[in-house]
Amino acid sequence: MKLTILGGGGFRVPLVHEAVATAATGLTVDEIALHDVDPERLATISAVVEEQGARLAAEGRAVALPRLIATTDLREAVTGADFVFSAVRVGGAEARTIDERVALGLGLLGQETIGPGGLAYALRTIPVALEIARTIAELAPSAWTINFTNPAGIVTEAMRSVLGDRVVGICDTPIGLVRRVGRLLGADLVAGERGAEVDYVGLNHLGWLRSVRLEGTERLPGLLADDDALEEIEEARLIGKDWVRADGALPNEYLFYYLHTDDAIERITGAATTRGEFLAKQQGDFYLAAAEADGRRPEARAAESCCTSPLDLWRETLHEREATYMAESRDEERREEDVAGGGYQEVAMRLMTALATGRPERMILDVGNIAAGREDAPASERIVPELPADCVLEVLCEVDGDGVHPLPIAPVELGRLGMMSTLRAAERKILEAATTGSREAAWQGFATHPLVSSPELGRRLLEGYEAGHPQIAALFSGR
């Protein structure tokens, strides 16, 4: 079995490799192809992964070390793949800093996936994602594509126009939320222990856990009424215990940016750097130090890193990265149990295993509102009847050898439906702009985002991103 990882020079790739090498779910992968457009970063992560494999084998933890291929040729990487993980970042971390600063310069939220920064990220990413989808359709038509590329909802929606139901989006934030609740109740809610029934609905980075039933009894109201229980749920601490109690649901942590926008902007602008600037420096330093430690930059070998291996450097950097995640939303250091709360690589492996072996699994995924090819079916057959058939939603699904099957949910309340539809309408204008080169559509997308809501600011955002991103400027110039 061949697994292709696009964005193979990315920082989180060793997490996936470890899950594969230890066969955490019992699935054996024979070959991993790492693809990246940056050969230096690809070489660094390859070195980390190779060292990781050797250590796992020495520790007796490696069940089946896959053969590793590293390439900058997309077609070589994709050909013959059984599964494709797509985790690309067009423009790198440096482009993220532009996404953030252009918005902040106009008094708006500057964040990677929320607000205008997320739209700019989508605008330069969708053309690349579509090219990837077309390459997969040509060279690995039976492959399952698992999309990690943010903003995952609208990028997955774009890729579905080529790959249909064989592309699924994935995010670890809703899994982290459900796991935290499950710890309090003493059950693995996603796996369905003790007859668990979970109702989670939304878009990527805009969702809510609305119901948790164990052995036929609804447990969420009791949790919401218990201050001590809410103290153990990171999302409740971020958003506010009184609010989640009043709302009757536990939100995805990214709702912080919608419900506390002014506070988020103040905290971000009050920090020495934005999150993107922090990561650009942190990861830039890591890649340089790891190259020195690997002997690929002997002329610049730093004394402090001469005895530290690429894998050890990666682990140290990873912990700092995870511990400072969404730091602007917290008044305290992140708790260790929350740092390890998501685990997107584990979810991805469980998804692969279910599809490959037919052993059923349940997980929260980004999927179409109705199966591809059934867009003409009655609205009553959609997951959320009020939204378009091809809209990608984030819901609990059952996965087996026949594919991904969304589980039923309760009707979506008007307020939540309004937030979902307004956000996706803005993102769809960005999708239109990315596929047609329409500058007017991009302007509409920026202007109508719920955290912008201004034609004038929308125009200025578009002008700022055109000036800062060559990919966006080229999109509207026809180059």
Side-chain angles (χ1 to χ4, degrees):
M1 179 174 292
K2 177 179 178 179
L3 167 64
T4 296
I5 303 178
L6 307 180
F11 189 77
R12 297 175 83 181
V13 166
L15 294 171
V16 179
H17 174 262
E18 181 176 15
V20 170
T22 57
T25 60
L27 183 69
T28 299
V29 175
D30 305 301
E31 177 178 305
I32 294 180
L34 302 181
H35 170 268
D36 206 284
V37 297
D38 186 327
E40 287 298 316
R41 293 198 169 200
L42 184 61
T44 294
I45 294 300
S46 296
V48 171
V49 165
E50 288 170 354
E51 183 185 356
Q52 182 182 66
R55 286 204 199 176
L56 290 171
E59 295 166 2
R61 295 176 57 206
V63 174
L65 283 175
R67 181 171 62 257
L68 187 67
I69 297 172
T71 179
T72 57
D73 185 330
L74 176 63
R75 296 179 67 83
E76 177 187 0
V78 166
T79 298
D82 297 286
F83 290 94
V84 178
F85 288 4
S86 181
V88 302
R89 181 179 288 279
V90 178
E94 294 73 20
R96 174 176 176 172
T97 67
I98 297 169
D99 294 343
E100 294 167 338
R101 285 297 179 189
V102 168
L104 291 170
L106 295 172
L108 299 168
L109 179 71
Q111 205 277 336
E112 177 187 22
T113 63
I114 305 300
L119 297 186
Y121 192 4
L123 189 55
R124 66 176 187 275
T125 299
I126 287 171
V128 176
L130 287 171
E131 180 58 31
I132 288 171
R134 287 189 285 266
T135 303
I136 294 169
E138 176 190 355
L139 299 175
S142 62
W144 281 93
T145 299
I146 303 173
N147 178 53
F148 297 106
T149 300
N150 277 323
I154 194 62
V155 171
T156 301
E157 197 164 305
M159 296 180 79
R160 276 177 58 86
S161 67
V162 178
L163 298 173
D165 292 334
R166 296 191 78 83
V167 58
V168 180
I170 195 168
C171 180
D172 52 356
T173 55
I175 295 296
L177 168 60
V178 175
R179 281 182 171 166
R180 282 183 268 279
V181 175
R183 282 202 301 263
L184 287 171
L185 296 177
D188 185 335
L189 301 180
V190 177
E193 287 183 359
R194 296 171 54 195
E197 298 176 26
V198 172
D199 185 320
Y200 180 95
V201 66
L203 307 179
N204 179 242
H205 291 181
L206 184 78
W208 301 265
L209 178 60
R210 302 183 299 163
S211 174
V212 177
R213 297 181 68 84
L214 280 182
E215 298 167 342
T217 300
E218 177 59 60
R219 301 295 299 273
L220 188 57
L223 290 179
L224 295 177
D226 185 342
D227 270 357
D228 290 338
L230 291 182
E231 181 63 25
E232 299 302 313
I233 301 174
E234 187 176 29
E235 290 78 1
R237 298 197 306 270
L238 294 181
I239 306 299
K241 298 174 188 176
D242 289 344
W243 176 261
V244 301
R245 188 175 293 122
D247 195 37
L250 287 169
N252 184 298
E253 61 196 339
Y254 282 90
L255 264 293
F256 173 83
Y257 296 109
Y258 291 95
L259 297 171
H260 302 284
T261 311
D262 291 342
D263 188 23
I265 294 171
E266 182 178 351
R267 290 175 181 232
I268 293 170
T269 55
T273 63
T274 66
R275 178 66 172 173
E277 289 164 347
F278 168 79
L279 289 179
K281 182 180 188 309
Q282 186 214 41
Q283 293 188 30
D285 289 347
F286 157 74
Y287 282 104
L288 286 174
E292 293 163 10
D294 191 40
R296 286 180 289 114
R297 291 172 52 86
E299 76 286 354
R301 183 182 294 273
E304 62 270 22
S305 67
C306 68
C307 299
T308 303
S309 72
L311 177 60
D312 289 334
L313 286 167
W314 174 81
R315 286 175 173 170
E316 294 168 7
T317 308
L318 174 69
H319 188 271
E320 181 185 23
R321 170 188 169 127
E322 298 298 325
T324 57
Y325 174 67
M326 285 183 67
E328 67 274 7
S329 66
R330 296 179 176 84
D331 295 317
E332 61 180 5
E333 289 189 8
R334 200 173 187 205
R335 300 180 185 182
E336 285 298 323
E337 65 267 25
D338 294 328
V339 171
Y344 83 117
Q345 71 279 4
E346 178 190 332
V347 182
M349 284 299 297
R350 288 173 49 214
L351 174 58
M352 283 176 55
T353 302
L355 291 169
T357 68
R359 187 177 75 204
E361 288 274 7
R362 298 202 314 173
M363 57 200 71
I364 297 171
L365 299 169
D366 291 283
V367 296
N369 198 9
I370 200 167
R374 300 193 62 243
E375 287 81 4
D376 293 336
S380 59
E381 297 184 21
R382 301 173 191 172
I383 302 170
V384 179
E386 298 86 353
L387 294 177
D390 58 348
C391 180
V392 165
L393 307 174
E394 196 163 79
V395 294
L396 184 65
C397 302
E398 185 166 282
V399 185
D400 57 28
D402 294 325
V404 178
H405 317 288
L407 297 176
I409 62 168
V412 180
E413 304 90 335
L414 186 61
R416 302 191 214 286
L417 183 63
M419 292 183 71
M420 292 166 63
S421 61
T422 303
L423 173 60
R424 187 46 51 87
E427 290 180 328
R428 282 197 162 200
K429 280 296 179 181
I430 295 297
L431 173 58
E432 178 186 342
T435 53
T436 67
S438 169
R439 198 171 182 277
E440 289 73 18
W443 174 34
Q444 287 180 290
F446 284 112
T448 59
H449 190 283
L451 295 181
V452 179
S453 299
S454 165
E456 177 56 31
L457 286 174
R459 188 187 301 278
R460 293 172 67 186
L461 284 165
L462 177 55
E463 292 170 349
Y465 290 130
E466 281 185 290
H469 292 305
Q471 303 96 336
I472 292 178
L475 180 66
F476 300 129
S477 67
R479 289 183 278 115

